Every structure is written in C-alpha cells, then in structure tokens.
Amino acid sequence: MTDGCWVTGLLFSHYFLCCVPGKHVKKDGHRLPDCWAYGWARGTREVCCNDARISDMEEKAASFRSGSMDAPSPCVGAEWQSLRYLKESAERLFYQGEPFGDETLEQQLIEKSDQTYEACPAALLLALDSRVCRLKINSYVSGQEDSAAEAYFVRQLWNSLTWSETMGWSNVMDPMVRPSLYASAAYVQVVNALLSHPSPTCAHFEISTKDLIADAAGLSLTTSKSTGTNLKAYPDIARIALILGTQGPLVASVSECDAARAMAHLFNARRFLDIRYSLALLHLQKAEEVELRALEQFAEGNRIEMPGIWEVHERLKEGLLEQQRWRSEPTKQTFAFVAQEPGFGPLSLWDPFITPVFSASVNDGVIERLLALLGVKSQTFVEIGTQLGDQCNTRYLRSRFGFHGLMMDDNYENHEINLTTHRVTPDNVVELLQNYSTPLDFDVLSLDTDGNQWLLWMKLSTSGFRPRIVVIEYGEDLPYDQDVAVRFSNIPIHQLCLVNLGRAPALFAASLTAMRNLGRALGYVLVHLAAVDLTFVRSDLLASSNLRFPAQDDPAGLCALARYQAPGRQLGCSKTWPKEPPSKELLTTAKAALAGDYRLENAHWPIEQILHTFCE
C-alpha cells in the first residue's frame, strides 16, 4: 500500500490511471506524475481508497495475470455508451479511415474520463484520439489557435494514460482494441503530415503505391510476386489511402495531391468492391471527380506529373474492371473453364505459374483446381482467421464463383460478407459452427489463427464436420520430419506476443509431419504445400474419383515440389529447430492429441516466462 490507498505492484492497473505522489515512486528512473494533484485522475482517489475496492481490484488483476481465457475483459462490464463508441470507432476506422463520429457521445466519455477509463480504457483512448484529430482539423480549417491549444491539452491527457504490460495483457481479450488503436494512431500521423507537408506526403504515397503495384501479385495487392510473402507496405498504404479518401478535401487546394487522391480512391474501390459495395461505389465516384481535376491541371501546364504515375492508375483500373465483370455476370462462373486448361489434372496443382488472386501464396489457385477435379457439393465454405477479408482463401470463391459461407475473426466484423467477431478456441469452435447452422458436409474449410488451428480442425472433424477440402496453416519453424505439435494454452499467446513485442509467436502450431499424421487419422490426404499452408482432401473423395496426387502424404516429396513451384522462396521444410529445442512439456504428438493429451497447464506462469517461451 502507498499512502493508505494504493496496491503495491499495481501502479498501472487494469482499471485505473493509477497514480501516487511522484516523490514516492519512480519507474525506469523517472518520477511518476502526481496525477491526483494535476487532475488527470480526479475521481481515482475516492474510488481507490477503500478496502473493498482494493480487494476487488487485486482479485481481478490476479485473474488477468493468470491468463485465463475466461477472465472478463475490462470492457465486458462497461456501460452501453462505451461499448457503442468502441464498436462504432472500429467500424469508422477500418472502413472509412477516420476516428470521429458521434461528438456528443465522445464528449460524454471524455467528461467522465475516470469512469470511462475504469470501465473500458480503449474507449477513452479512442475518444481522446478522435478529439485531437477533430481539433487539429478545425484549427487548420478555421485558423483558430484555441483549437490547436486544446488539442495539445487533450494529447497530454492521452499521454498520461499509459498502456502498461498488465493492462496490455487484459485488453488483448477485447475484440478490435489493438487494431483500432493502431488505425487511430495512424490517422493522427497522416493528418498531421497532410496538414504540415501536403505535397511531400502525397508524393510519398504515390511512390509507395507505385512500388507496391509493381511487385503485387493477384487482385488483393497484398502478396509479393517476387517472394510469395505478404507485402509489408500494404497495411500502411491501405490506411493512408483511406485517410486520403476521407480527408482529401483538406488538400484540395494543393494540385500536387490530385493524382494521389485519385489513386487512393481507386485503391479503396478495389479493396472494398466485394466487401463493402456501397463504399466502393462512393470511392469510384470520387476517383472520377478528382482524376478529371488532375487531368485538367496537367493539360493547363500547372504541374508536372511523377513519371509512371498514370500507369499505376491504369493498373488499378484493370483489376477493378475484372472484379466488376465478375460481379455483373448474370450467373457465376463454373469450374469448367479450369478443366479446359492445357495440362489440367492432379499435376496442375504444382504449376509454377499459378498466381494468387486474393489469398496469400497460391492457395486460391490450388483450391480452384481441386474443386474442378472433385466437383462442388454446395458452394459453401467456413474460414476462421480472415482479418478484414481483403486477403483470405475464400474471397475468390465468393466473388467469382458465387460461394457463400461463414467467416470468423477475433477483430473484424462485416455482415455484408457474413464476417463475425469471435475469439475461436478448441473449446468453442464446434458450438460456434452449430450456432450458425453450418452443414456437416461443406466444400472448403480454411483455418489460419496463428496457433491452435490444428486443434480446431481436430475438434470439428471428431464432432462430425467433414469439409471436402481443408486449407490450414502449419508450424513452419518446427522440424518438418518430426511429429511435434505445440500444446494448447488457455492464455491468448498470439495476442500477447503482438501486444508486448509487436510480432507473432515464434513457437506455435504443429509440424508438417504431425499435420500429415493428424490428417490421416481424421480421414484426409495431404496433397499440397505452399509457404506456410497445407491443403488436404477427404480420402473418400479421392477414392471415389480415382485421383492420386504427386507426393501425396509424403512430407519430403511435398517439400521438393514446393521448391520447384516457388524456387528461392522460404518454406517450412527444415529438419532442425531455429534455436534450442523447446522443453518437452510444451510439445505433444498427433496421436497423443487425438487421445486428449494436448493441453499445457501454464496458468501460473508469469508473463515474462510466457513471452520468452513462445514469442522470442
């Protein structure tokens, strides 16, 4: 206790902006602010300084430190205003690229900052960020210095709300929190750049997009055709394109930004055409308006265009026209045209000229060929781990072939494409699919949850779900020829690695051989390996169609074929661990997992041990 009010070790709690007189406490050599004196946590003294509240806080903090998936998140019990604001903020940030919406609700949350922080810290952080953006724009438009000064004060309040490790731990349980905050922070940075240095900012966007288009494979613009990996520049370019689209009028007087604005609208239209159609149409309309203005300026000799910039526009339009053609077809394509291609057959899965459409690597091209070989059951799919839906394994099936299905992600939601928000675990995956009336026999199951997807498949299959094709991520850093799988932990390890270290886990999933063995036990045959994903086909379908694929169920042979298909690209086909082998208590085998031995009892581990074991 400190001053009779504070709990030792909970300086930055899950629920409060925890403050003590600076003369008593230091962190990393710096004195902590006396927040009570400065008014940053006006109600905190009264809330904290009672024994009942301290006891309750200790109990809740302990549950978060234990890492229980069942522990309530800070926002679960929040009043409806905070929850509504959090959900609406995510919607605006992901699809419109701006953080602010209901100014009245925003004001209410900020006026009751202590209560908002206690109930749902993320809602307050987003409200403060929204207020900063609003004030900065108002200051720029109106020239009022008071708005700029108020924005600085709000920023100071934002800075005083520190995301500690413990608080980060608890908030990984809240859907949309982390990506919302990243998007909100990006908005502040881009708006600042547009207001202070519009021409260089627009030029930078043009150059970055030009480089992206030059190396992008397929229509999603997310995968590199030279390396087969995700293009690291894509997330930032997508965010800037959204912000340029919504806040372009801020630089309407800067003719050097016209081409960048037109490009941003086209980029957004391509991204959302089959995800948010009305939004894509709006961007198309704006692109035509801005493009006309840019061409007029160029014709009048008022500016010199960056070399090659209109070629980028044409590339963006070409992909957009292809997507529009698919949408306008009165009946969706069948797979007959695939079967008519020269050399079509089982060997065509390894065609080195397959390029991705909307998936990472060549997954949607492989799925397309398999469906042409096996036939289609019901044009249905389930995909878990889709993010926004712009890069995933089933988007091509939906947009070109008219498939429909269930999509789930722990951050994103979009009812237009039946994308729902759920934190899917081996303990709830069967119930979730049952709740959505998913048929037992459907065409494609895609699993990419960066960790326990092998257990999701096992649980679904042993509960009667029998998809015809399964595309699933495997542990690329595990020795491919060993039957090893990382045990399931109730702790949200993937989210913890991202929140604390900014990267995905280093130790996760199951090896190639373990996945092959699991597939055999579940009645599936492994037929393809691409980068970090494996593709399985139900064995009874192969038997009934008299099909056999090259190197099927042979890990070494599949690795060799994958090298042929994608020469020079990194594959998870090493026989050694990337560093020292992990403790045996962390691992299981396919056979043991099927017998029920797959859990890791590590609820008592401190966060430092978890991060060291799984993330570093």
Side-chain angles (χ1 to χ4, degrees), residues 28 89 143 244 248 263 290 298-299 353 381 390 408 410 445 551 555 586:
D28 299 329
S89 293
L244 266 174
M263 185 184 297
V290 178
F298 181 74
F353 297 103
F381 62 81
D390 45 354
M408 289 189 278
D410 57 2
L445 171 66
L586 301 175

Side-chain angles (χ1 to χ4, degrees), residues 39 168 241 272 404 473 542 566 576:
F272 293 121
H404 59 278
E473 186 181 28
L542 293 188
T576 60

Side-chain angles (χ1 to χ4, degrees), residues 39-43 79 81-82 85 99-100 102-117 120-135 150-151 153-155 157-158 161:
W40 284 343
R42 297 175 297 282
E79 56 188 12
Q81 291 98 328
S82 295
Y85 189 82
F100 42 81
D102 189 330
E103 190 171 2
T104 301
L105 181 55
E106 174 189 299
Q107 180 63 28
Q108 291 173 355
L109 295 178
I110 293 177
E111 286 179 350
K112 300 187 298 180
S113 58
D114 292 313
Q115 295 94 319
T116 306
Y117 189 87
C120 185
L124 180 58
L125 289 170
L126 287 168
L128 293 172
D129 214 3
S130 172
R131 178 57 57 86
V132 168
C133 293
R134 192 190 306 277
L135 291 169
E150 189 177 349
F153 173 78
V154 174
R155 174 57 69 188
L157 179 55
W158 163 284
L161 300 171

Side-chain angles (χ1 to χ4, degrees), residues 298-513:
F298 181 74
E300 293 172 5
N302 292 338
R303 63 163 300 182
I304 299 175
E305 297 292 348
M306 183 181 299
I309 206 62
W310 290 110
E311 285 83 350
V312 177
H313 278 257
E314 291 307 309
R315 285 284 306 278
L316 285 169
K317 285 182 178 179
E318 287 171 8
L320 188 59
L321 289 172
E322 179 78 354
Q323 291 174 260
Q324 289 175 314
R325 182 175 63 81
W326 294 345
R327 185 178 181 87
S328 64
E329 289 172 348
T331 57
K332 290 293 183 178
Q333 283 273 9
T334 67
F335 292 91
F337 75 93
V338 181
Q340 296 170 1
E341 294 179 356
F344 174 74
L347 187 59
S348 65
L349 263 62
W350 298 102
D351 183 348
F353 297 103
I354 295 179
T355 57
V357 184
F358 294 120
S359 67
S361 190
V362 296
N363 291 332
D364 44 21
V366 171
I367 295 170
E368 179 183 52
R369 284 162 173 75
L370 283 174
L371 289 171
L373 286 164
L374 300 169
V376 176
K377 174 74 174 180
S378 57
Q379 289 191 305
T380 54
F381 62 81
V382 173
E383 182 160 13
I384 302 175
T386 63
Q387 298 190 57
L388 191 70
D390 45 354
Q391 183 199 66
C392 61
N393 290 327
T394 59
R395 183 181 178 185
Y396 182 50
L397 295 177
R398 179 172 50 80
S399 62
R400 184 167 193 185
F401 298 103
F403 276 53
H404 59 278
L406 174 64
M407 304 168 70
M408 289 189 278
D409 192 84
D410 57 2
N411 288 316
Y412 298 92
E413 182 177 81
N414 181 359
H415 296 300
E416 289 189 27
I417 57 174
N418 203 24
L419 170 57
T420 60
T421 305
H422 293 286
R423 191 172 301 283
V424 184
T425 72
D427 296 326
N428 69 7
V429 63
V430 173
E431 182 181 3
L432 283 171
L433 264 65
Q434 290 172 341
N435 289 344
Y436 285 102
S437 301
T438 306
L440 295 177
D441 184 1
F442 56 93
D443 288 298
V444 179
L445 171 66
S446 176
L447 299 170
D448 182 359
T449 59
D450 294 321
N452 300 309
Q453 53 272 358
W454 65 282
L455 280 171
L456 301 183
W457 182 27
M458 186 183 81
K459 287 289 187 177
L460 289 172
S461 186
T462 55
S463 298
F465 289 96
R466 305 290 292 163
R468 297 159 68 83
I469 298 169
V470 177
V471 182
I472 185 168
E473 186 181 28
Y474 75 105
E476 59 184 299
D477 290 329
L478 308 184
Y480 88 89
D481 58 343
Q482 296 182 31
D483 185 346
V484 289
V486 180
R487 291 179 177 273
F488 169 65
S489 169
N490 281 328
I491 297 171
I493 290 172
H494 178 71
Q495 289 82 0
L496 282 176
C497 294
L498 288 174
V499 166
N500 289 276
L501 299 177
R503 58 174 177 264
L507 182 66
F508 72 100
S511 70
L512 199 164
T513 294

Side-chain angles (χ1 to χ4, degrees), residues 44 285 430:
T44 306
Q285 177 186 343
V430 173

